Amino acid sequence: MNQVSCNEVVSTIYQRVKALKEKGKPANYIPELAIVEPSKFGVHIAQLNDANFGIGDFQENFSIQSISKVLSLCLAYRILGEKIWKRVDVEPSGTKFNSLLQLESDNGIPRNPFINAGALVIVDILISELENPKEDVLNFVKSLCPSGNIDYSPKVKASEKSVGYRNFALANFLKSLGNLDNEPNDVLDLYFTICSLETDCETLSEIFLFMANDGIVPHSGEKVFSKSYSKRVNALMQTCGFYDESGEFAFRVGLPGKSGVGGGIVAIYPDKYSIAVWSPGLNAKGNSYKGMKFLEDFTTETEMSIF
Ligand code: GLN
């Protein structure tokens, strides 16, 4: 898509979606997220041909929450290779992101790496494999966009930890079922830290551009992983990135993507672009209401979806 038409389409849809009365509600189970101004709305598209464009609050930091689960997975997959799939499955769960339901009948193997149980197992792997997990994860993420602005938020981490009863339950359950090598408290501490990553739409879309580029960071040429690994992670985002709304996202938007309860969504169009949207109001399934609406209109009007 050329730059002028892309900018025009993004601006037109942005204004239309911004004007919608319905905007969902910010996550209220994490106190620090509940106080975010619900009218915030930003979009940034990073294209492989360098025709980048942002609008609205696209340079304002927000909590990326579960979007970070893709980045943890990439790092763990790169380190452990195919062995990783012995610890976590690749099937959509059809349940809420923090559900405990399937874990017992699945003998402690989470359905996929993006539900909380799966992400806890991935974090357990990172603790076992990395020398300084917190620093190493942050350095990995920064290496994907060295000019970007990304860091952990101690405030959001503490806020989530103070009320993270379900995640405590999940980690202890996983430990009792034999799928955590480290102590649940250590796993939870790193999990909450990684979920607290904050950045803006501009940096987030740049970070994820390697997923549109067969696993290679476009600006540095660094190979994060192979084309085949990139295909697999994109496939997981497509089938599991939106929990029990993954089918709906594929149906309406038609791109691999990942959401977070901070109201962010990142979506990938392989070989073309990565796009990040942030609007803190969530729908009933915990995904950004306006973010989904924007992306649906964008892929429909540009006819740029993978289907
Ligand atoms: N940190 C959040 C949690 O564990 C992440 C959930 C999400 O973004 N879907 O509940």
Side-chain angles (χ1 to χ4, degrees), residues 29-30 65-66 69 97 116 160 167 191 195 243 259-262:
Y29 74 103
I30 299 177
Q65 291 295 322
S66 286
K69 290 171 181 165
F97 60 87
N116 288 13
E160 179 167 16
N167 287 320
Y191 173 84
C195 283
Y243 315 109
S259 63
V261 287

Side-chain angles (χ1 to χ4, degrees), residues 15 42 61 63 67 73 85 88 96 141 145 150 159 189 201 203 205 236 242 254 268 272 277:
Q15 298 304 346
N61 277 4
S63 188
I67 298 174
L73 170 67
W85 310 121
V88 61
K96 262 186 82 78
V141 176
C145 177
I150 184 152
S159 177
D189 191 74
C201 290
T203 305
S205 59
L236 280 168
F242 295 78
I268 310 297
K272 288 274 185 309
V277 183

Side-chain angles (χ1 to χ4, degrees), residues 9-270:
V9 181
V10 170
S11 304
T12 309
I13 301 172
Y14 176 86
Q15 298 304 346
R16 194 194 314 141
V17 175
K18 189 176 169 65
L20 294 176
K21 280 216 176 70
E22 173 67 49
K23 53 174 171 288
K25 287 201 183 73
N28 59 6
Y29 74 103
I30 299 177
E32 276 298 312
L33 298 186
I35 56 174
V36 177
E37 170 56 49
S39 63
K40 295 285 178 191
F41 188 25
V43 178
H44 188 270
I45 179 165
Q47 301 200 62
L48 286 172
N49 68 3
D50 273 334
N52 297 348
F53 181 67
I55 189 162
D57 302 308
F58 73 99
Q59 287 176 320
E60 193 163 322
N61 277 4
F62 62 94
S63 188
I64 73 168
Q65 291 295 322
S66 286
I67 298 174
S68 66
K69 290 171 181 165
V70 183
L71 302 167
S72 317
L73 170 67
C74 289
L75 186 54
Y77 193 17
R78 184 164 95 158
I79 297 168
L80 216 60
E82 302 299 337
K83 277 192 294 192
I84 201 170
W85 310 121
K86 290 197 174 117
R87 304 271 312 267
V88 61
D89 209 343
V90 294
E91 290 299 335
S93 68
T95 56
K96 262 186 82 78
F97 60 87
N98 54 9
S99 173
L100 287 123
L101 278 177
Q102 293 158 338
L103 210 45
E104 180 142 44
S105 52
D106 290 346
N107 297 317
I109 305 295
R111 289 274 166 111
N112 66 68
F114 299 150
I115 50 172
N116 288 13
L120 287 162
V121 169
I122 297 296
V123 165
D124 182 58
I125 292 170
L126 293 176
I127 294 179
S128 300
E129 300 289 331
L130 297 172
E131 201 125 317
N132 302 298
K134 260 181 219 175
E135 292 76 8
D136 295 347
V137 170
L138 189 58
N139 288 337
F140 168 67
V141 176
K142 284 186 168 167
S143 76
L144 302 173
C145 177
S147 61
N149 157 29
I150 184 152
D151 213 338
Y152 297 128
S153 162
K155 225 171 162 183
V156 171
K157 175 189 170 182
S159 177
E160 179 167 16
K161 204 171 183 177
S162 71
V163 292
Y165 303 111
R166 264 189 175 264
N167 287 320
F168 280 92
L170 280 167
N172 282 291
F173 205 14
L174 282 164
K175 183 75 181 172
S176 78
L177 292 164
N179 200 8
L180 284 192
D181 292 332
N182 298 283
E183 282 309 309
N185 281 348
D186 297 336
V187 174
L188 286 159
D189 191 74
L190 184 61
Y191 173 84
F192 293 133
T193 303
I194 298 176
C195 283
S196 83
L197 276 169
E198 283 187 346
T199 191
D200 56 34
C201 290
E202 184 169 18
T203 305
L204 192 60
S205 59
E206 294 277 355
I207 285 174
F208 272 82
L209 208 46
F210 79 101
M211 288 300 302
N213 196 36
D214 295 335
I216 296 170
V217 181
H219 301 300
S220 66
E222 194 208 325
K223 188 171 176 179
V224 177
F225 49 36
S226 66
K227 193 169 171 168
S228 138
Y229 277 29
S230 164
K231 177 189 84 176
R232 292 187 193 284
V233 176
N234 270 309
L236 280 168
M237 281 198 272
Q238 180 74 72
T239 52
C240 312
F242 295 78
Y243 315 109
D244 47 341
E245 204 169 34
S246 298
E248 181 85 9
F249 190 81
F251 184 75
R252 283 170 48 185
V253 179
L255 293 177
K258 186 73 200 80
S259 63
V261 287
I265 298 180
V266 66
I268 310 297
Y269 186 73

